[in-house]
DNA sequence: TACTACTGTGGGAGCGCTCCCAGCCGTGAT
DNA sequence: ATCACGGCTGGGAGCGCTCCCACAGTAGTA
């Protein structure tokens, strides 16, 4: 009984700093210094401590460290739950993989926080503050969301994905929506298309606006006229916008949709109208999601470096956390046009 | 200077239990009891404490609680990084959403852990043990993976997604692969198909084997002959298997692929051979991923309740954590045939 | 009336670490 | 030989909580 309990306690209660210190014949403080890589330790002492650590299989207790040092070595990735569903498919996992990669060689751990409605969102700032995460990664932030500023006021480092405006005050990582759209439309122009329409996303989203700007810039370069229908990033929206475009300009020979999902909706309508892709009408999407790869014909699309964005966000956040001076860089990563059969 | 520092300290150093106790005119222990919902507190005292908590905006410090109580109120979701990429698209985010939903009304927080190669996987058990998570959710566990057993030995509650064999010893949540496949093939039979082939997944994966079993059961019920080609859940594998099937049985009029991705590969080959879907050959997939919805024609597929599985996994884990007796239930959730134009 | 048995409460001890101060020792300058 | 000054080191204090023991007060029992 006692023996069993002792054994239990042994295996559950892992070795502590103090035990390592005793084993190595040094003091608690010295072991702490070795663990944390302080330079003020002699070579022999360090070796002795490291040997003891290895023998005992010592691993520091995070909770104790967090309590004593007043930092958690954890960051939170906040994902709006209602939208997680609608993300262009690989988005979420790619972001996570990028963040994970950036954190891999770090002691930092990743807290995943799904937030639902507005009420939950209100509690979130307090929640994050109380859990004392060292920093927060915010994905899919709306222009009118008070959360980022709230966190800033609490002194919690924040990095957001996607700028909310040209002069984003917060640290952010974005892809080059303008250039991506411009390149896509330029590609259509180069392919001899002359009546090039676009299906836009909601224009209160900065990224969607930039894609429209890129479309316009390419058309202006080619001296072509603009033909835009507005939608909301949904498949149904893509269908409606496509029908509208066809009604307004039956002669159109190319469509640039600001998302693959909308392109998918557009394709159905084009098909229903007996239009062949790409012979009669070329089609280009945005995101290079799995939808694009599996569409028939496979969809030319603008790839955003999602995983790299995740990594960059995490790296920016780590820098912000360890920095004494708060710097708030805005990173813009290049997109890439992936040409497939649809254009 | 001092004022600024004080203000800083104020906002950073949130109120403690002791301060709440002073405010409410009670002892520290009493506040703790109220916070943790102990019944042994008088109604008036509770009210006074709750008022003080509200006034001060007190939120317990997780690190301190974890240290004192020797539990972290956190569970880890372990995702094999190399596979995250290949999951049928919405899988990952759906699992996360399910888990998140189950944890929403809990104090539990979700730690996301991506594990890469084998070396990392070795460190993982120790890592998880040292971080003292209260439990672990394991996704996509291979039959020969030592990790689950390692965690068991460490006394850490574990729940895995998908059984590894008929008599899975660990707590697990799986979908009914057998019934899903059986229903899909029965649907083909009911549609008048007579030469029904299947493209299997790797048969050392229990779920893939069960799908094959379901296929066989349905054929046996209809008195039809079996026609199987083995693949590996990849698109290229699906192509190869389809070509092989076509060579072996040019008269086949239906194909049940054990995943949407393989079905997508099969469709390409069928198309290349001039076969119309569904007129000449019916096609059914498995997973009901976004690929299925966007395929042309849209692919009939077997839906797994991924989000529900995530929720069930989390609930099982919570039960295991709070239980004194370790019970290891194996849950099997029903699938659903989503009929689209391809069959 | 005296004893027992609760219920409710206060607060000491201690979780395992970091921070920091004081002390030890050897070195070089005086 | 003496003193000052570093580099290393040990260990006290304390982070904010939970656990648990002790004790006051009240009620029930003989």
């Amino acid at each position: 009984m006692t023996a069993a309990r002792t054994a239990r306690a042994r295996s559950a209660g892992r070795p502590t700093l103090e035990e390592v210190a005793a084993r190595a014949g040094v003091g608690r403080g010295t072991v702490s210094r070795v663990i944390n890589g302080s330079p003020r330790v002699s070579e022999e002492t360090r070796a002795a401590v490291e040997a003891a650590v290895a023998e005992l299989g010592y691993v520091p207790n995070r909770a104790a460290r967090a309590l004593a040092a007043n930092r958690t070595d954890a960051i939170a990735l906040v994902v709006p739950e209602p939208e997680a569903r609608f993300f262009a498919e690989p988005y979420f996992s790619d972001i996570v993989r990028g963040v994970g990669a950036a954190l891999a060689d770090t002691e930092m751990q990743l807290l995943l926080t799904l937030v639902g409605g507005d009420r939950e969102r209100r509690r979130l700032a307090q929640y994050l503050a109380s859990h004392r995460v060292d920093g927060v990664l915010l994905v899919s932030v709306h222009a009118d969301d008070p959360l980022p500023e709230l966190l800033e006021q609490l002194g919690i480092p924040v990095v957001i994905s996607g700028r909310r405006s040209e002069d984003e005050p917060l640290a952010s990582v974005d892809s080059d929506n303008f250039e991506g759209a411009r390149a896509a439309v330029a590609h259509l122009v180069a392919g001899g298309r002359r009546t090039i329409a676009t299906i836009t996303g909601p224009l209160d989203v900065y990224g969607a606006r930039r894609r429209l700007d890129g479309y316009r810039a390419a058309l202006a370069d080619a001296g072509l006229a603009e033909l835009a229908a507005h939608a909301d990033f949904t498949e149904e929206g893509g269908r409606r916008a496509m029908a509208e475009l066809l009604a307004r300009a039956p002669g159109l020979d190319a469509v640039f949709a600001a998302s693959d999902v909308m392109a998918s909706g557009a394709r159905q309508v084009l098909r229903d109208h007996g239009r062949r892709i790409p012979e009669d009408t070329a089609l280009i999407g945005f995101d290079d999601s799995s939808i694009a790869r599996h569409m028939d014909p496979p969809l030319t699309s603008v790839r955003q470096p999602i995983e790299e964005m995740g990594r960059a966000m995490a790296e920016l956040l780590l820098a912000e956390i360890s920095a004494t001076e708060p710097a708030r860089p805005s990173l813009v990563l290049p997109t890439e046009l992936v040409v497939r059969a649809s254009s």
Side-chain angles (χ1 to χ4, degrees), chain A residues 32-58:
Chain A
S32 175
R33 255 158 273 168
V34 172
I35 298 293
N36 293 293
S38 158
R40 342 203 115 277
V41 182
S42 75
E43 222 26 79
E44 339 159 50
T45 309
R46 180 184 309 278
V49 170
E50 277 167 355
V53 165
E55 282 168 42
L56 264 37
Y58 170 77

Side-chain angles (χ1 to χ4, degrees), chain A residues 178-195:
Chain A
F178 178 89
E179 256 310 299
R182 213 197 46 72
V185 177
H187 170 253
L188 291 171
V189 170
R193 311 288 172 169
R194 283 298 168 264
T195 309

Side-chain angles (χ1 to χ4, degrees), chain A residues 77 108 165-166 186 281 316 324 329:
Chain A
L77 174 63
M108 283 285 170
S165 68
E166 185 60 43
T281 310
L316 241 51
T324 47

